[in-house]
Amino acid sequence: MKAIYTRPPYRALLTLICTAVLALTACSAGPAAGAPTGDEPAVTAGVPALSPTEEGEVTYTDPYAYCAAVSNADTPGREYVGEAFPDDLAQALKDASGASEDAPMQLFQENAFWRCMDGHVYACTVGANLPCESKAVTDVTPTTEMNDFCDINPNAEVIPAVVTGHDTVYQWRCAGKTPT
């Protein structure tokens, strides 16, 4: 049986582009239902997306085929041997960001990351407060740094990101001397 993967249309990919929360959501590894067995190479746009190595391990050159096979991965594993950030993925990210046509593609290749979530490719471009390489912190337990900040700044309306960290999904403040 020959598996054929096609890239999703850019509009479909746009729905998968990471926001700060989506880019940081936790993923767990696991095989996708119907993932290729590696018996025959998959083809994407006429280019082999995977190929068996001499040792029999299947490798992928296409992020879409790779994500379909592995389902979830925070970063590409050793099976992915393609470009770090392929041109078509960079173009889709550029389009989704609303950047002008003359914005350099380099911004969307060197300052961007992709991951696999539920068999799909999710992409993220680094922003001022958007850490693409870390997971969202959903813990509601204040850190020592937050407690120290509130001790010094009771009733502060905002605990700054330099104290909370950039990967928290919450906006912290001080209720008296208690981080909330």
Side-chain angles (χ1 to χ4, degrees):
M1 179 173 167
K2 188 171 187 176
I4 298 177
Y5 293 94
T6 58
R7 288 183 167 86
Y10 284 137
R11 291 288 177 213
L13 181 62
L14 298 181
T15 63
L16 301 177
I17 300 299
C18 297
T19 62
V21 175
L22 287 178
L24 304 173
T25 32
C27 296
S28 62
T37 62
D39 294 337
E40 296 183 42
V43 176
T44 302
V47 179
L50 59 103
S51 60
T53 63
E54 289 180 20
E55 296 82 30
E57 179 181 70
V58 174
T59 58
Y60 300 83
T61 58
D62 180 81
Y64 302 97
Y66 173 73
C67 288
V70 301
S71 191
N72 295 302
D74 294 335
T75 57
R78 71 172 193 239
E79 304 89 0
Y80 180 75
V81 295
E83 293 178 74
F85 208 90
D87 292 343
D88 61 334
L89 188 54
Q91 183 64 53
L93 187 57
K94 179 180 175 179
D95 293 345
S97 75
S100 67
E101 286 193 33
D102 61 341
M105 285 300 291
Q106 183 178 3
L107 295 173
F108 300 94
Q109 291 171 313
E110 295 180 5
N111 298 315
F113 301 89
W114 63 272
R115 68 188 314 138
C116 303
M117 291 173 53
D118 298 325
H120 299 283
V121 174
Y122 281 70
C124 176
T125 185
V126 175
N129 288 312
L130 184 58
C132 295
E133 291 185 285
S134 59
K135 291 185 178 184
V137 174
T138 59
D139 190 357
V140 295
T141 307
T143 64
T144 301
E145 292 81 5
M146 291 181 209
N147 284 315
D148 293 346
F149 180 86
C150 288
D151 281 342
I152 298 168
N153 303 286
N155 297 312
E157 294 197 24
V158 174
I159 301 176
V162 70
V163 176
T164 64
H166 289 268
D167 38 7
T168 182
V169 298
Y170 302 111
Q171 181 175 348
W172 289 85
R173 65 183 179 83
C174 301
K177 291 187 173 193
T178 305
T180 305

